[in-house]
Amino acid sequence: MSQTPDSAVRTYIQHHRAAFLDDLTAWLRIPSVSAQPDHAPDVRRSADWLAARLTETGFPTVEVWQTPGAPAVYAEWPSADPAAPTVLVYGHHDVQPAAREDGWDSEPFEPVVRGDRLYARGAADDKGQVLFHTLGVRAHLAATGRTAPAVHLKLLIEGEEESGSPHFRALVEEHAGRLAADAVIVSDTGMWSEDTPTVCTGMRGLAECEIRLNGPDQDIHSGSFGGAVPNPATAAARLVAALHDEHARVAIPGFYDGVVELTERERALFAELPFDEERWLRTAKSHATHGEAGHTTLERIWARPTAEVNGIGGGYQGPGSKTIVPSSATVKLSFRLVAGQEPGHVEKAVRAWVADQAPAGVRHEITFSGATRPCLTPLDHPALQSVVRAMSRAFQQPVRYTREGGSGPAADLQDVLGAPVLFLGISVPSDGWHAPNEKVELDLLFKGVEASAYLWGDLAESWRDAP
Amino acid sequence: MSQTPDSAVRTYIQHHRAAFLDDLTAWLRIPSVSAQPDHAPDVRRSADWLAARLTETGFPTVEVWQTPGAPAVYAEWPSADPAAPTVLVYGHHDVQPAAREDGWDSEPFEPVVRGDRLYARGAADDKGQVLFHTLGVRAHLAATGRTAPAVHLKLLIEGEEESGSPHFRALVEEHAGRLAADAVIVSDTGMWSEDTPTVCTGMRGLAECEIRLNGPDQDIHSGSFGGAVPNPATAAARLVAALHDEHARVAIPGFYDGVVELTERERALFAELPFDEERWLRTAKSHATHGEAGHTTLERIWARPTAEVNGIGGGYQGPGSKTIVPSSATVKLSFRLVAGQEPGHVEKAVRAWVADQAPAGVRHEITFSGATRPCLTPLDHPALQSVVRAMSRAFQQPVRYTREGGSGPAADLQDVLGAPVLFLGISVPSDGWHAPNEKVELDLLFKGVEASAYLWGDLAESWRDAP
Ligand SMILES: [Zn+2]
Ligand SMILES: [Zn+2]
């Protein structure tokens, strides 16, 4: 396999480093906070800014797509080779809220470089990681002498990710034809650490529900009636207590149906990571680990399905006491899903299980919402191997594998477009996503530019070589 | 045993019926709502009104006792016989809030007679039942030719019962010397029904606690950490689920220590009552019965201890969903106690049990409040038999036995004064305590007057006859 001369890429990036940082700084000054309605004009300005920047970069087609919420930016740059694969890059241009008084050492929307770090809201999540693709594709062209990328390159950068992407799936469905791709590259994740470059191979899915248990028609006196009628708060508690067995496995019959188990190789790869449990607990702000028997903490959060109580409530919760049997109680559950699990099947299993548990005299209602499928790319998938090679060349060391325990809108791209989802991200846990003093490591940011520059050529070649 | 000629009592009551109702109506016009601060002057006016009325009745000593909250009224009328027993009558002159728009057919503080019923807030709970003792003692004197009652008669009518009697115990402790009594008569309860006169023989006690379970130091992301750290909402649910065993018995070791079991005779007496489960469920606004195996509904609410969840809360309870592992969860529990159980012993048992259950990584805090001892008078207690005879004579039929599932400040009188607590009440379930259109049945109200008129002579005699 022939290679773009890496030194040419590095030289190009070195020459354009200052201009790139100026651009990024200008974009980070726009407080594109999608969750705050008074920032709606800023989110719009952010989309327009990005569209202009992509046009300057050379994308022949750049469009701002309106939604009922915040606009997304779409761009296309076809390869000169009609047989080349099509790749869709996903990211987002909106940011989390931020205010100086939350604990920032400088204004969150006045980017500042201190040492080797650029501090600003959105520096890592996700403007820095979106923008590195603009310099990346220019470096790819410069180093290879091309006038168009080696792949048909598409970008979809949404504006509502930090608000839960409420219109994203509809947008993807509406434009499914134009978004069609052979692979999706998500640049909205991170790596293990500064010293340990990694590639993420999948995200968990999600099913969410609210269960309401109704007992007496109103709160009733616990002295007059308590002990002789069913209490819906007790029923709710018993439901939650029955969620897991003594091995902390989810006890809902059928829940594990189809689960793709970790291979020995995957378990070994996870185990190679320099995991420090004490440090992880500090990050988790927790005081003990606890989870499914027979699995490590990393396996539990990356590769095992879970059932979690996000909220429970019923009866009197004010100060002091009130001697009632509550009329109702509510439980909010979320289920993280792994490859092989179908949200629809999980929903059916949960409904049957709840119906089976609810005691006489307690009626139940279940509402499901927010189903997201899991994504997982097998380790030997050629596109994944391209990402791994691009990262290895950028970091000049072997990269390892991680997964992501959370769930994201990227799964909608996988579902609607039927394309595998790959992850190219250079953020590290210390970057402070959603927290004060968010920053990006400048060294890593330019490794991201470099990886992006290598990726398109590698993908096009491995595509040609694929059986 | 000689008897007051009952016809003389009835004639006296007949002659004073209209004046008594005028008095009661005047008192009911005073909106003595202790829970609403803007009615504080009305509660004070109500105390003054009652004090004046008791003076007119003939009580030589009448005092209004201030508290940090609402005032109580105290009255004393010594018997001519120094060896006579001392009896303390307990009731309250404050009322629940009421407003026409809550569903009243007439103004709650403008008493009105429709048919054989007097409608007004406080008609049954508790002004009607307090006031019947004034006409009762006059009828007792008139029919027996006495100038002072057959017993040393004391009345303590508090002004904060509907606000939880926050200063009652301190008041009783402060005045324990003057309140000293051989028996306490509580006139703040009811009977089984219009057709089934009954005497209540005991109330359950109460211990209350709040348990707080602390997990992560803040809410954490369920995608990043869920399934690998303990969830305090799950721990709270498991605690509540473990409260009862499969027979719906309280599963806390030591909880049942000392419990006085129902005798066969008591069970038989309960079973004789015309209990209609369908009707009871409608009153309980519940859709099934559920409780300790091996006991009937009446046994469960009157004579068995319980553990009830009054409230549970943790994590996100707003609309929609939030994928977190909650930082903490709280459970409010109340335990109804029966004769033989000590609130302090129950507290120790609960604390040990919680400490035993809480999983690693979840810290717990327990706060106990509001301990009330149970009261129970044995069926063969001579004072109880006096109450039973007085009621039988008033109703001209045998009376049956009930108990009260709730807990009340009367237990403080039992504790501080060391006197048995007896119950003389004529209210019926349809009277609508704490509800719109509260009323008292006029026929029953005057049966109450009559029972009160018979009681003092009977008590004095049975006291003399006691071994
Ligand atoms: Zn993001
Ligand atoms: Zn009352």
Side-chain angles (χ1 to χ4, degrees):
Chain A
M1 186 156 49
S2 80
Q3 281 200 347
T4 306
D6 296 5
S7 60
V9 164
R10 282 186 207 116
T11 304
Y12 185 90
I13 294 172
Q14 198 51 46
H15 285 159
H16 294 81
R17 182 183 167 103
F20 174 81
L21 286 178
D22 286 349
D23 276 349
L24 178 55
T25 298
W27 196 18
L28 291 170
R29 284 211 169 88
I30 304 174
S32 50
V33 180
S34 59
Q36 294 174 340
D38 52 328
H39 281 295
D42 295 317
V43 181
R44 188 161 301 272
R45 202 147 57 88
S46 163
D48 292 340
W49 185 96
L50 176 62
R53 189 71 207 83
L54 292 172
T55 300
E56 282 170 47
T57 300
F59 282 83
T61 301
V62 179
E63 298 172 13
V64 173
W65 286 355
Q66 305 303 329
T67 76
V73 177
Y74 175 71
E76 252 183 58
W77 197 338
S79 172
D81 174 7
T86 302
V87 177
L88 174 65
V89 172
Y90 166 87
H92 60 92
H93 66 90
D94 63 320
V95 297
Q96 280 279 315
R100 177 77 185 256
E101 57 269 27
D102 295 342
W104 286 76
D105 296 331
S106 51
E107 287 295 334
F109 297 106
E110 290 177 14
V112 58
V113 172
R114 289 195 293 273
D116 292 331
R117 298 161 167 184
L118 172 61
Y119 289 85
R121 172 57 86 224
D125 178 22
D126 182 38
K127 285 173 174 168
Q129 301 200 93
V130 167
L131 205 64
F132 73 52
H133 285 293
T134 61
L135 183 53
V137 71
R138 295 287 346 161
H140 161 58
L141 300 180
T144 57
R146 295 171 183 272
T147 53
V151 297
H152 301 299
L153 191 58
K154 299 177 177 180
L155 263 74
L156 179 61
I157 311 300
E158 71 157 315
E160 297 188 302
E161 201 275 343
E162 302 294 3
S163 302
S165 304
H167 307 102
F168 186 68
R169 186 166 183 121
L171 188 77
V172 172
E173 285 171 346
E174 183 189 343
H175 297 284
R178 296 188 65 192
L179 293 170
D182 298 300
V184 173
I185 301 285
V186 171
S187 284
D188 185 27
T189 55
M191 317 193 300
W192 180 263
S193 73
E194 290 83 338
D195 306 326
T196 309
T198 52
V199 167
C200 172
T201 66
M203 295 179 95
R204 290 194 291 189
L206 183 64
E208 294 173 281
C209 71
E210 180 171 312
I211 306 169
R212 191 181 165 86
L213 295 156
N214 298 295
D217 295 336
Q218 62 185 48
D219 291 348
I220 59 175
H221 193 268
S222 74
S224 306
F225 305 109
V229 296
N231 180 326
T234 303
R238 287 179 162 253
L239 207 60
V240 170
L243 262 180
H244 299 93
D245 69 14
E246 71 273 29
H247 308 295
R249 278 175 66 87
V250 178
I252 299 170
F255 178 77
Y256 287 97
D257 287 355
V259 162
V260 174
E261 298 290 332
L262 281 164
T263 63
E264 279 314 303
R265 171 140 189 261
E266 284 167 320
R267 299 186 75 165
L269 286 170
F270 285 2
E272 275 176 17
L273 289 164
F275 178 72
D276 177 339
E277 188 169 279
E278 286 306 308
R279 194 169 161 179
W280 183 86
L281 277 175
R282 279 197 297 278
T283 312
K285 299 188 186 304
S286 292
H287 302 278
T289 59
H290 174 80
E292 190 184 350
H295 288 283
T296 66
T297 292
L298 288 181
E299 290 169 9
R300 288 168 179 168
I301 57 174
W302 287 348
R304 297 301 300 168
T306 66
E308 202 74 51
V309 191
N310 309 120
I312 186 168
Y316 181 68
Q317 299 183 47
S321 61
K322 200 170 171 188
T323 47
I324 53 166
V325 176
S327 170
S328 67
T330 299
V331 176
K332 290 181 193 277
L333 300 179
S334 63
F335 301 92
R336 296 286 166 178
L337 310 178
V338 301
Q341 279 181 305
E342 274 299 316
H345 181 79
V346 167
E347 175 174 341
K348 255 186 235 166
V350 172
R351 285 185 183 279
W353 175 77
V354 172
D356 203 48
Q357 304 270 317
V362 175
R363 287 163 302 120
H364 67 275
E365 300 159 15
I366 314 185
T367 318
F368 269 82
S369 64
T372 304
R373 280 207 173 66
C375 330
L376 181 67
T377 308
L379 293 181
D380 55 1
H381 191 287
L384 176 62
Q385 287 306 316
S386 286
V387 174
V388 167
R389 278 191 299 269
M391 285 286 282
S392 301
R393 283 162 66 186
F395 282 88
Q396 298 179 274
Q397 61 173 293
V399 301
R400 297 168 188 264
Y401 296 90
T402 63
R403 292 197 197 173
E404 166 60 41
S407 312
D412 290 321
L413 295 168
Q414 167 196 259
D415 277 11
V416 179
L417 308 178
V421 171
L422 306 155
F423 299 85
L424 180 68
I426 51 75
S427 182
V428 284
S430 63
D431 283 352
W433 289 31
H434 303 195
N437 298 316
E438 178 179 347
K439 53 88 179 166
V440 67
E441 301 282 332
L442 292 177
D443 279 0
L444 301 183
L445 184 65
F446 287 99
K447 298 285 188 206
V449 173
E450 210 180 322
S452 168
Y454 302 137
L455 182 57
W456 314 130
D458 193 301
L459 266 174
E461 283 186 48
S462 68
W463 201 261
R464 260 199 311 278
D465 301 343
Chain B
M1 184 154 53
S2 77
Q3 280 201 348
T4 306
D6 296 5
S7 59
V9 164
R10 280 185 209 117
T11 305
Y12 185 89
I13 293 172
Q14 197 52 45
H15 286 157
H16 294 81
R17 183 184 167 102
F20 175 80
L21 285 178
D22 286 348
D23 276 347
L24 178 55
T25 299
W27 196 17
L28 291 170
R29 283 212 171 89
I30 304 173
S32 50
V33 179
S34 59
Q36 294 173 340
D38 52 329
H39 281 296
D42 296 317
V43 181
R44 188 161 301 270
R45 203 149 52 89
S46 163
D48 292 339
W49 185 96
L50 176 61
R53 190 72 205 83
L54 291 172
T55 300
E56 282 169 49
T57 299
F59 282 84
T61 301
V62 178
E63 297 172 13
V64 173
W65 286 353
Q66 305 303 331
T67 76
V73 177
Y74 175 71
E76 253 183 59
W77 196 340
S79 172
D81 174 8
T86 302
V87 177
L88 174 66
V89 172
Y90 167 86
H92 60 91
H93 67 90
D94 63 320
V95 297
Q96 280 279 316
R100 177 77 184 254
E101 57 269 26
D102 295 342
W104 286 75
D105 296 331
S106 52
E107 287 294 335
F109 297 106
E110 290 178 13
V112 59
V113 172
R114 289 195 295 271
D116 293 330
R117 297 163 168 182
L118 171 61
Y119 289 86
R121 171 59 84 226
D125 178 21
D126 185 32
K127 286 173 176 169
Q129 302 201 93
V130 166
L131 205 64
F132 73 51
H133 285 292
T134 62
L135 184 52
V137 72
R138 295 288 345 161
H140 161 59
L141 300 181
T144 57
R146 296 172 183 271
T147 53
V151 298
H152 300 299
L153 190 59
K154 299 178 177 180
L155 263 73
L156 179 61
I157 311 301
E158 70 156 317
E160 297 188 301
E161 201 276 344
E162 301 297 0
S163 302
S165 303
H167 307 102
F168 186 68
R169 188 168 180 118
L171 188 76
V172 173
E173 285 171 348
E174 184 189 342
H175 297 284
R178 296 189 64 191
L179 293 169
D182 298 300
V184 173
I185 301 284
V186 171
S187 283
D188 185 28
T189 55
M191 316 192 302
W192 180 264
S193 73
E194 290 82 339
D195 305 327
T196 308
T198 51
V199 167
C200 172
T201 66
M203 297 180 94
R204 291 194 291 189
L206 183 65
E208 296 173 281
C209 70
E210 180 170 312
I211 305 169
R212 192 182 163 86
L213 296 155
N214 299 295
D217 295 334
Q218 61 185 50
D219 291 349
I220 58 175
H221 193 270
S222 74
S224 305
F225 305 109
V229 295
N231 180 327
T234 303
R238 288 180 162 252
L239 206 58
V240 170
L243 260 182
H244 299 94
D245 69 14
E246 70 273 29
H247 307 296
R249 276 176 67 86
V250 179
I252 298 170
F255 179 76
Y256 288 97
D257 288 355
V259 162
V260 173
E261 299 290 332
L262 280 165
T263 62
E264 279 314 305
R265 168 135 192 266
E266 284 168 321
R267 298 186 76 165
L269 286 170
F270 285 3
E272 275 176 19
L273 290 163
F275 178 72
D276 176 339
E277 186 167 282
E278 286 307 309
R279 195 169 159 179
W280 183 84
L281 278 175
R282 280 196 298 279
T283 311
K285 299 189 185 305
S286 293
H287 303 278
T289 59
H290 174 79
E292 190 184 351
H295 288 283
T296 65
T297 292
L298 288 181
E299 291 169 9
R300 286 166 179 170
I301 56 175
W302 287 348
R304 297 301 300 168
T306 66
E308 202 74 50
V309 191
N310 308 120
I312 186 168
Y316 182 68
Q317 298 184 49
S321 61
K322 199 170 172 189
T323 47
I324 54 166
V325 176
S327 169
S328 68
T330 299
V331 176
K332 288 180 196 278
L333 300 180
S334 63
F335 302 91
R336 296 285 167 179
L337 309 180
V338 300
Q341 280 181 304
E342 274 299 315
H345 181 80
V346 168
E347 174 175 339
K348 255 187 232 165
V350 172
R351 286 186 183 277
W353 175 77
V354 172
D356 202 49
Q357 304 271 316
V362 175
R363 286 165 302 120
H364 67 275
E365 300 159 15
I366 315 185
T367 317
F368 269 81
S369 63
T372 304
R373 280 206 173 67
C375 330
L376 181 66
T377 308
L379 293 182
D380 55 2
H381 191 286
L384 176 62
Q385 288 307 316
S386 287
V387 174
V388 167
R389 278 190 299 268
M391 285 286 283
S392 303
R393 284 163 65 186
F395 283 89
Q396 297 178 276
Q397 61 173 293
V399 301
R400 296 167 190 264
Y401 296 89
T402 63
R403 291 198 198 172
E404 166 61 41
S407 312
D412 290 321
L413 295 170
Q414 167 195 258
D415 279 12
V416 178
L417 308 180
V421 171
L422 306 155
F423 299 85
L424 179 68
I426 51 73
S427 183
V428 285
S430 62
D431 283 351
W433 289 30
H434 302 196
N437 298 314
E438 178 179 347
K439 54 87 180 166
V440 68
E441 301 282 332
L442 292 178
D443 278 1
L444 301 183
L445 183 65
F446 288 99
K447 299 284 189 208
V449 173
E450 211 179 322
S452 168
Y454 300 138
L455 183 56
W456 314 131
D458 194 303
L459 266 174
E461 283 186 48
S462 69
W463 201 262
R464 261 198 310 277
D465 300 342

